[in-house]
Amino acid sequence: MGSVMLRMKGIDKSFPGVHALDHVDLDVIGGEVHALMGENGAGKSTLMKILTGIYLKDSGTIEFEGKGVEFTSPKEAQDAGIAIVHQELNMMNHLTVAQNIFIGREMMKSGFISDSMMNKEARKLFDRLNIDIDPSETMGNLTVGRQQMCEIAKAISREAKLMVFDEPSAALTESEIEELFKIIRDLKSKGMGIVYISHRMDEIKVITDRVTVMRDGTYVGTMITKDSTKDDIINMMVGRVIYEDPKQTSSVPENAPVVLKVEHLSAGKMVKDVSFELRKGEILGFSGLMGAGRTELARAIFGADKKDEGTIYINGEQVEIKTTEDAVSHGIGYLSEDRKRFGLVVAKSVAENSTMSALSLFMKGVFIDRQKERKEAESYVKLLKTKTPSVDQLVVNLSGGNQQKVVIAKWLIRNCDILIFDEPTRGIDVGAKSEIYHLMNELVKQGKSIIMISSEMTEILRMSDRVLVMCEGRITGEIPIEEVSQERIMAAATLRNQEDNNGKTKK
Amino acid sequence: MEKLKNNPIIKAIGTQRLVALLALILLYLTFGIMNPRFATYSTMVNIFDASYYIGFMAIGICFVIATGGIDLSIGTVLTMSGLVAGFLSVNMGFPIWLVIIICISIGTLFGVINGLLVAKLGLPPFIATLGTMMLSKGIGSIITGAQSVTWKSGSDPEGWYRSIFKIKTEGGLLIPTGFLFLIAAAVLMAVVMNKTKTGRYILSLGSNKEATRLSGVNVDKYLIIAYVISGTFAGIAGLAYSTIYSTLLPGGGAGFEMDAIAGVVIGGTSMSGGIGTIAGTMIGVFIISILKTGLPFVGLQTHYQQVATGLVLIVAVFADVYRNRKKN
């Protein structure tokens, strides 16, 4: 192994209301693959965005190849030799592979772009990397895995010396991952420094040399991969002090009836054969990593996306939910993780949003009874302590927590009995958070039932009566609150299906 | 200036509508000063005459634009309605009351087709209505054998329908009854837009379709309703046009929709959806019909009307865009 190539020291970064990074250190040696691990929201992405010039740090130093550097734009980082392969690829699907690789620095011949020259150069590049891709192929025709390789080739062609892979394997098949690892090993042998972000424990063990773990925006520690066990790493990832007391026992009575029963539900690629029950007065926590299929499951139950298979029972009766209208008429309400896009019509007023799902209750003949509408909206503003100057205020002007309260008001006015909260406190500050929690507890006390999807461990532990864990579209664990621990959840959340491991999927 | 902005009356009307209203008054005064014959009662009636078909189309398409869509077919649907209904009246002897119903129903039918294409088949509104624009243009000509159609004259026993839009008293005085109908339709549809479930959900889905759908609203249904309103008003516009101008040419009507769209946009309705103002639309429509009627009075040919409308459109919308940009 070579010498230290990158040294980030005491990196600090705050966003309004959030201390995203608290004096984080990271060093990468030339010729090593360095894993960067941590839960969602631990600060990995923020750290990498600072490294690649997307964000500016508040304080701390970055040394690259022995020199202090200060990147103020992605281009500067690129020019210095730092490249990042994002989880979502930035490719122009209608252009060819070579055109994509040389975008922004096209090769010219007598004043015209020369595709033949670029194809030749791209071919040379692929040969060097032992990749077999036709440079004149249209990008959109390649699989995600091959597109990623083009992205890697693009970085190499820009003479990158340090490469960051942000969850590269998330969208790849088993054999594509193998190919990716081959390329990574090759780059490593050429002395390149590699930062590898992934949630998949088995991959970390296979491909990385050292592991740095982050938690809640702080640096936890760095270990040699082969000297540490999977449990060590998980402990480092979750070992924070939980400042919110987790629930000790379920508050659902033994004989509480089942209000929602889902059997063998499959939908698209993200929901595979899911079955579970929700009981009256229960908060059922859905844990798992991002992309585990929880939101997709919620949307399928709610009729927002098509179901391929499966049956749904409400209060013991089989129901047909084909549209969101069906779901709402059966008393299901869905509170999206992305309130501004899916939860609210932000350019409309608090009153209009509040009554959106239950407008029929506010009709006087064919006309909307504005008086009644405003009154009802006002009473919920009071009840939920929503901070807004008036119910005529446009929702876009409210803070995240208050917007969430408007969404809650919408479903309460509709009198839904089953509420699906998808990341109920994402983007909400601490004070408003506990208000939302308080509200959810009130709701179940009144006999409503809640499905709570959350990527925040503390939230899951504090709120749930029972925890279901999903991984890659399946339910991989059911844990009663009495037995729940972060370690058990983490273990289930990273439990990959054996069939998938062999490169075969059930589909 | 600040004081002016916070004036409750100005706030209620809205900046863009206020600009449009001032432009309307200014235009009328300018033409009137340049040619005193413009400011007469009979010219006023002419302005009204030109406003009916544009006005009805504009009221209808305002609903589609509020959903964030567009309906390019209304101009040719107008012509097809007039052609086919007139043909049935003159050549087939259909009673005029039935002809009126058929004229409007053809518009409704195309509205239903547009709505289904957009909501159920998921075609982009521009493409779907471009298709039905061509369809209606062609079918109208085919049915009438590519012949022009002249509706029955006022002296015909069945010519009573003409007094729906204009009554000529025995003393020769013209009473523009159509104006009353147009305003009544505008008031009715403004109420639909602002006070009913239909209007609320059309505006809401125009602002954020996915959030509206996830609130349990049948957005397809309300999308279709918007296109049906647009089509139906194109049919009513067909009746208005036929009554005022009597003769319809096969293959005509393309481009009428642009006058209507311009009227809607000048009035302050956003092309990106979520906002729809019928009152503003009416102001926009009258700006266009004043330009149409007034330019010949100051010695400019009708081509200049296009130039003038274009300029007014750009200035009016720019005023709005500029204001929004400053706000952000």
Side-chain angles (χ1 to χ4, degrees), chain A residues 247 252 260 276-279 281-287 419 421 440 444 449-454 460 463-469 475 478-479:
Chain A
K247 232 182 218 179
V252 185
L260 173 74
F276 70 92
E277 290 180 347
L278 172 72
R279 297 165 74 187
E282 181 178 38
I283 297 181
L284 179 58
F286 266 79
S287 190
L419 295 165
F421 282 81
M440 291 170 75
V444 287
S449 311
I450 292 177
I451 290 174
M452 183 188 74
I453 298 170
S454 175
I460 289 281
M463 298 302 295
S464 314
D465 294 306
R466 183 161 54 104
V467 180
L468 292 180
V469 186
I475 291 183
E478 175 173 354
I479 312 169

Coordinates of all heavy atoms in Angstrom, one line a residue, chain A residues 247 252 260 276-279 281-287 419 421 440 444 449-454 460 463-469 475 478-479:
Chain A
K247 N -39.9 2.5 23.6 CA -41.1 1.9 24.2 C -40.7 0.6 24.8 O -39.9 -0.2 24.3 CB -42.1 1.6 23.1 CG -43.5 2.2 23.4 CD -44.5 1.9 22.3 CE -45.4 3.1 22.0 NZ -46.3 2.9 21.0
V252 N -50.9 -2.2 22.8 CA -52.0 -2.7 22.1 C -52.6 -3.9 23.0 O -51.9 -4.8 23.3 CB -51.7 -3.2 20.7 CG1 -52.9 -3.7 20.0 CG2 -50.9 -2.2 19.9
L260 N -56.4 -4.2 9.5 CA -55.9 -4.3 8.1 C -55.1 -5.6 8.0 O -54.2 -5.9 8.9 CB -55.0 -3.1 7.8 CG -54.3 -3.2 6.4 CD1 -55.2 -3.0 5.3 CD2 -53.1 -2.2 6.4
F276 N -48.8 -9.1 6.2 CA -48.8 -8.7 7.6 C -50.1 -8.2 8.1 O -51.1 -8.1 7.3 CB -47.8 -7.5 7.7 CG -48.2 -6.2 7.1 CD1 -48.9 -5.3 7.9 CD2 -47.9 -5.9 5.8 CE1 -49.4 -4.1 7.3 CE2 -48.4 -4.7 5.2 CZ -49.1 -3.8 6.0
E277 N -50.3 -8.1 9.4 CA -51.5 -7.6 10.0 C -51.3 -6.4 10.8 O -50.2 -6.2 11.4 CB -52.1 -8.7 10.9 CG -52.6 -9.9 10.2 CD -53.1 -11.0 11.1 OE1 -52.9 -10.8 12.4 OE2 -53.7 -11.9 10.7
L278 N -52.3 -5.5 10.8 CA -52.2 -4.3 11.6 C -53.4 -4.3 12.5 O -54.6 -4.6 12.1 CB -52.3 -3.1 10.7 CG -52.4 -1.7 11.4 CD1 -51.1 -1.3 12.1 CD2 -52.8 -0.6 10.4
R279 N -53.2 -4.1 13.8 CA -54.3 -4.2 14.8 C -54.8 -2.8 15.2 O -54.1 -1.8 15.2 CB -53.9 -5.1 16.0 CG -53.6 -6.5 15.5 CD -52.8 -7.3 16.4 NE -53.7 -7.7 17.5 CZ -53.3 -8.3 18.6 NH1 -52.0 -8.5 18.8 NH2 -54.1 -8.6 19.6
G281 N -55.5 0.3 17.2 CA -54.7 1.0 18.2 C -53.2 0.8 18.2 O -52.5 1.1 19.1
E282 N -52.8 0.2 17.1 CA -51.3 -0.2 17.0 C -50.5 0.8 16.2 O -51.0 1.3 15.2 CB -51.2 -1.6 16.4 CG -49.8 -2.1 16.3 CD -49.7 -3.5 15.8 OE1 -50.5 -3.9 14.8 OE2 -48.8 -4.3 16.3
I283 N -49.3 1.0 16.6 CA -48.4 1.7 15.7 C -47.4 0.6 15.2 O -46.6 0.1 16.0 CB -47.6 2.8 16.4 CG1 -48.5 3.9 16.9 CG2 -46.5 3.4 15.4 CD1 -47.9 5.1 17.5
L284 N -47.5 0.3 14.0 CA -46.7 -0.8 13.4 C -45.5 -0.1 12.7 O -45.7 0.6 11.7 CB -47.5 -1.6 12.4 CG -46.8 -2.7 11.7 CD1 -46.2 -3.7 12.7 CD2 -47.8 -3.5 10.8
G285 N -44.3 -0.3 13.2 CA -43.1 0.4 12.6 C -42.6 -0.5 11.5 O -42.4 -1.7 11.6
F286 N -42.3 0.2 10.3 CA -41.6 -0.4 9.2 C -40.2 0.1 9.1 O -40.0 1.3 8.8 CB -42.4 -0.2 7.9 CG -43.4 -1.2 7.6 CD1 -44.6 -1.3 8.2 CD2 -43.1 -2.2 6.6 CE1 -45.5 -2.3 7.9 CE2 -44.0 -3.2 6.3 CZ -45.2 -3.3 6.9
S287 N -39.3 -0.8 9.4 CA -37.9 -0.3 9.4 C -37.2 -0.9 8.2 O -37.7 -1.8 7.5 CB -37.2 -0.7 10.7 OG -35.9 -0.1 10.7
L419 N -53.9 5.0 9.2 CA -53.1 6.1 8.7 C -51.7 5.5 8.4 O -51.1 4.8 9.2 CB -52.9 7.2 9.7 CG -54.3 7.9 9.9 CD1 -54.2 8.8 11.2 CD2 -54.6 8.8 8.7
F421 N -48.1 6.6 7.9 CA -47.1 7.7 8.0 C -45.8 7.3 7.3 O -45.1 6.4 7.9 CB -46.8 8.1 9.4 CG -47.9 8.9 10.1 CD1 -49.1 8.3 10.6 CD2 -47.8 10.3 10.2 CE1 -50.1 9.0 11.2 CE2 -48.8 11.0 10.9 CZ -49.9 10.4 11.4
M440 N -49.4 11.3 17.2 CA -49.6 9.9 16.8 C -50.0 9.1 17.9 O -50.9 8.2 17.8 CB -48.3 9.4 16.2 CG -47.9 10.1 14.8 SD -46.2 9.7 14.2 CE -46.5 8.0 13.7
V444 N -53.7 6.8 18.2 CA -53.9 5.4 18.5 C -54.7 5.2 19.7 O -55.5 4.3 19.8 CB -52.6 4.6 18.5 CG1 -52.0 4.4 17.2 CG2 -51.6 5.2 19.5
S449 N -55.4 3.3 13.8 CA -54.2 2.4 13.7 C -53.2 3.1 12.7 O -53.6 3.7 11.7 CB -54.6 1.1 13.1 OG -55.7 0.6 13.9
I450 N -51.9 2.9 13.0 CA -50.9 3.6 12.3 C -49.9 2.6 11.8 O -49.3 1.8 12.5 CB -50.2 4.7 13.1 CG1 -51.2 5.8 13.4 CG2 -49.0 5.2 12.4 CD1 -50.7 6.9 14.3
I451 N -49.5 2.8 10.5 CA -48.3 2.1 9.9 C -47.3 3.2 9.8 O -47.6 4.3 9.2 CB -48.6 1.5 8.5 CG1 -49.6 0.3 8.6 CG2 -47.3 1.2 7.8 CD1 -50.0 -0.2 7.3
M452 N -46.2 3.1 10.5 CA -45.2 4.1 10.4 C -43.9 3.6 9.7 O -43.2 2.7 10.2 CB -44.8 4.6 11.8 CG -43.8 5.7 11.9 SD -43.3 6.1 13.5 CE -42.2 4.7 13.8
I453 N -43.6 4.2 8.6 CA -42.4 3.8 7.9 C -41.4 4.8 8.3 O -41.6 6.1 8.3 CB -42.6 4.0 6.3 CG1 -43.7 3.0 5.9 CG2 -41.3 3.8 5.6 CD1 -44.1 3.2 4.5
S454 N -40.2 4.3 8.8 CA -39.2 5.3 9.3 C -37.8 4.7 9.1 O -37.6 3.5 9.3 CB -39.4 5.6 10.7 OG -38.4 6.4 11.2
I460 N -38.3 4.6 15.3 CA -38.9 3.2 15.3 C -38.9 2.7 16.7 O -40.0 2.2 17.2 CB -38.0 2.3 14.4 CG1 -38.1 2.6 12.9 CG2 -38.3 0.8 14.7 CD1 -39.4 2.1 12.3
M463 N -41.6 4.8 19.0 CA -43.0 4.9 18.6 C -43.7 3.5 18.5 O -44.9 3.4 18.7 CB -43.2 5.7 17.4 CG -42.7 7.1 17.4 SD -43.6 8.0 18.7 CE -45.3 8.0 18.1
S464 N -42.9 2.5 18.0 CA -43.6 1.3 17.5 C -44.1 0.4 18.6 O -43.5 0.3 19.7 CB -42.7 0.5 16.6 OG -42.0 1.3 15.7
D465 N -45.2 -0.3 18.4 CA -45.6 -1.4 19.2 C -45.1 -2.7 18.8 O -45.0 -3.7 19.5 CB -47.2 -1.5 19.3 CG -47.8 -0.3 19.9 OD1 -47.4 0.1 21.0 OD2 -48.6 0.4 19.2
R466 N -44.7 -2.7 17.5 CA -44.2 -3.9 16.9 C -43.4 -3.4 15.7 O -43.8 -2.4 15.1 CB -45.3 -4.8 16.4 CG -45.0 -6.1 15.8 CD -46.2 -7.1 15.9 NE -47.4 -6.5 15.3 CZ -47.8 -6.8 14.0 NH1 -47.3 -7.7 13.3 NH2 -48.9 -6.2 13.5
V467 N -42.3 -4.1 15.3 CA -41.5 -3.6 14.2 C -41.4 -4.7 13.1 O -41.1 -5.9 13.4 CB -40.0 -3.3 14.7 CG1 -39.2 -2.8 13.5 CG2 -40.1 -2.3 15.8
L468 N -41.7 -4.3 11.9 CA -41.4 -5.2 10.7 C -40.2 -4.6 10.0 O -40.1 -3.4 9.9 CB -42.6 -5.2 9.8 CG -43.9 -5.9 10.3 CD1 -45.0 -5.9 9.3 CD2 -43.6 -7.3 10.7
V469 N -39.3 -5.4 9.6 CA -38.2 -5.0 8.8 C -38.2 -5.5 7.4 O -38.6 -6.6 7.2 CB -36.9 -5.5 9.5 CG1 -35.6 -4.8 8.8 CG2 -36.9 -5.2 11.0
I475 N -40.4 -8.8 3.6 CA -40.3 -8.6 5.0 C -39.3 -9.6 5.6 O -39.5 -10.8 5.4 CB -41.7 -8.8 5.7 CG1 -42.6 -7.6 5.3 CG2 -41.6 -8.9 7.2 CD1 -44.0 -7.6 5.9
E478 N -39.8 -9.8 11.9 CA -40.9 -9.2 12.7 C -40.4 -9.3 14.1 O -40.1 -10.4 14.6 CB -42.2 -10.0 12.4 CG -43.3 -9.5 13.4 CD -44.6 -10.1 13.1 OE1 -44.7 -10.9 12.1 OE2 -45.5 -9.8 13.9
I479 N -40.4 -8.1 14.8 CA -39.8 -8.1 16.1 C -40.8 -7.4 17.1 O -41.1 -6.3 16.8 CB -38.5 -7.3 16.1 CG1 -37.6 -7.8 15.0 CG2 -37.8 -7.5 17.5 CD1 -36.3 -7.0 14.7

